[in-house]
Amino acid sequence: MNSAPAGHVLILGGTTEARHLADELADTPALRVTSSLAGRVAAPRLPVGQVRIGGFGGAEGMARWLREHQVDALIDATHPFADTISAHAARAAADAQVPLLTLRRPGWVPGPGDRWHPAGSLAEAARLLPGLGERIFLTTGRMGLAAFAHLTGQWFLVRSVDAPEPPLPPRMAVILDRGPFTLEGETELLGRHRIEVLVTKDSGAHATAPKLAAARAAALPVVIIRRPPAPQGVPTAETPAEAAAWLRTTLA
């Protein structure tokens, strides 16, 4: 580091990038780092340093927390689809007059041989499925399965970290697992369950990208759900190193 930042930074985390950023900042003596996790996963991977778990009570509650804990910078490193918390972060940072950065890994880009069908939402993804296949590998997480609960002509293989809760598709099997995954493992999984369609969100994570390569090799259609737009006017970094550089400049 050219100059060590000093102050208190709050990282809205839960992602690999958030943990790596906390690691990178851990050895900065004058910097206090707090990572905040939503608490939606039963056994989250905890970052180094101070951790708080749970919600803030909306944008107003987050702004109050920023002021009460004398936060000097806020970094939103949540999942690209955590649009509610990102909107709250933007409002809270503006209200508390705290500099805000969004840390988002780049999205996936289709390559030769990919058969992608973009969808703007889980509901739109569900509408596409009857025309694409009957055996579906669903990797959109456990929180949005209600969008597929009305589909009776499809069978779903659902993979999530924690067990999903109703409403659920009537014909389904569940695998509890978390990445990183391998191309060999994903290829075997698709073949063993005779998968015809992959449904995923454009999370952009390297740990879960092998499923796309496996689908490409098997010439399977992929319904990929587009990311919600990031809050306007908020600077963005794509890597923890870029976020750390922003923090050095901001807290100089």
Side-chain angles (χ1 to χ4, degrees):
M1 288 188 178
N2 297 327
S3 60
H8 184 193
V9 58
L10 175 64
I11 302 173
L12 304 179
T15 61
T16 300
E17 289 75 21
R19 292 193 300 275
H20 288 175
L21 178 59
D23 288 340
E24 185 160 344
L25 300 175
D27 295 329
T28 308
L31 183 66
R32 178 186 172 196
V33 179
T34 302
S35 296
S36 178
L37 308 182
R40 291 183 176 179
V41 176
R45 292 172 175 167
L46 297 179
V48 298
Q50 185 174 345
V51 179
R52 69 172 301 279
I53 297 179
F56 291 91
E60 294 78 8
M62 188 184 300
R64 183 167 54 251
W65 199 96
L66 294 175
R67 288 190 291 264
E68 290 176 352
H69 292 81
Q70 299 180 320
V71 173
D72 299 293
L74 175 61
I75 298 179
D76 174 15
T78 56
H79 193 277
F81 283 81
D83 52 334
T84 298
I85 188 66
S86 293
H88 289 172
R91 289 171 51 197
D95 186 28
Q97 296 185 335
V98 171
L100 169 65
L101 176 77
T102 297
L103 173 56
R104 289 285 185 276
R105 56 190 174 234
W108 288 318
V109 178
D114 281 324
R115 299 173 56 197
W116 285 12
H117 299 262
S121 64
L122 292 171
E124 184 179 347
R127 289 194 294 270
L128 293 174
L129 290 181
L132 295 175
E134 295 183 358
R135 298 185 66 84
I136 316 298
F137 185 24
L138 190 57
T139 64
T140 56
R142 66 187 179 93
M143 304 300 291
L145 297 184
F148 304 90
H150 66 287
L151 295 177
T152 60
Q154 280 69 38
W155 177 87
F156 292 89
L157 177 65
V158 174
R159 183 167 67 194
S160 62
V161 176
D162 294 323
E165 299 178 356
L168 302 171
R171 302 171 58 217
M172 61 175 286
V174 176
I175 298 176
L176 299 183
D177 201 359
R178 83 168 97 202
F181 302 106
T182 66
L183 176 58
E184 293 75 15
E186 299 291 66
T187 299
E188 190 278 333
L189 188 70
L190 295 180
R192 172 158 46 95
H193 292 280
R194 307 191 310 279
I195 297 300
E196 299 173 359
V197 186
L198 168 66
V199 181
T200 187
K201 293 178 176 178
D202 181 17
S203 66
H206 293 296
T208 56
K211 62 190 173 187
L212 296 173
R216 182 189 308 121
L220 299 183
V222 177
V223 177
I224 187 157
I225 300 164
R226 293 187 295 266
R227 297 178 174 190
Q232 293 185 350
V234 178
T236 301
E238 293 187 347
T239 68
E242 292 178 7
W246 173 87
L247 190 63
R248 289 195 298 271
T249 301
T250 300
L251 298 184

